Amino acid sequence: QVQLVESGGGFVQTGGSLRLSCAASGNIQRTTAMGWYRQAPGKQRELVAAITIGGSVNWNYADSVKGRFIISRDNYKNTVYLQMNSLTLEDTAVYYCMRRVLGVDYWGQGTQVTVSS
């Protein structure tokens, strides 16, 4: 089994920054993707940023966060980060981390990010 624990959400004003963390434990040796999704009230869950691991490592971002958010990982700590800068009201959502291991997607419990003016 794989467990994911998120942290770092909270309240921030527009233009501010937050960093989310997602620590993984369990049988994660065959990870092929890790990333962050978000779900705003009344909207579907959407991809924010992801790292996919195959023959090479690729980073993917939603158009709405390109240039503002950075996804990174610390393999020694089994942790994925999402650095969020220049936050806007539209970034308000519950953020979920995801890790794909042997074709199975595992999800964190979600962390609330609220951006206010």
Side-chain angles (χ1 to χ4, degrees):
Q1 284 289 354
V2 174
Q3 294 80 39
L4 303 176
V5 179
E6 301 146 348
S7 60
F11 293 87
V12 65
Q13 290 188 323
T14 54
S17 299
L18 281 175
R19 189 176 82 154
L20 305 182
S21 300
C22 178
S25 61
N27 190 4
I28 61 172
Q29 286 80 3
R30 300 294 297 273
T31 294
T32 56
M34 56 191 80
W36 291 93
Y37 288 69
R38 67 186 180 187
Q39 188 166 19
K43 295 187 177 181
Q44 290 187 334
R45 189 174 297 189
E46 63 175 359
L47 173 69
V48 177
I51 300 172
T52 56
I53 304 168
S56 60
V57 179
N58 296 295
W59 285 260
N60 300 288
Y61 293 91
D63 288 342
S64 59
V65 307
K66 283 181 181 177
R68 300 188 298 122
F69 290 12
I70 301 172
I71 187 172
S72 62
R73 59 177 178 163
D74 184 328
N75 290 333
Y76 292 103
K77 296 182 179 180
N78 294 327
T79 299
V80 178
Y81 303 97
L82 185 68
Q83 177 66 43
M84 305 185 293
N85 302 317
S86 302
L87 285 160
T88 71
L89 298 177
E90 288 70 33
D91 295 317
T92 294
V94 177
Y95 285 71
Y96 298 90
C97 72
M98 183 280 294
R99 184 177 285 255
R100 182 170 299 147
V101 181
L102 292 173
V104 178
D105 291 350
Y106 296 89
W107 296 89
Q109 79 282 4
T111 185
Q112 177 70 47
V113 172
T114 303
V115 185
S116 63
S117 59

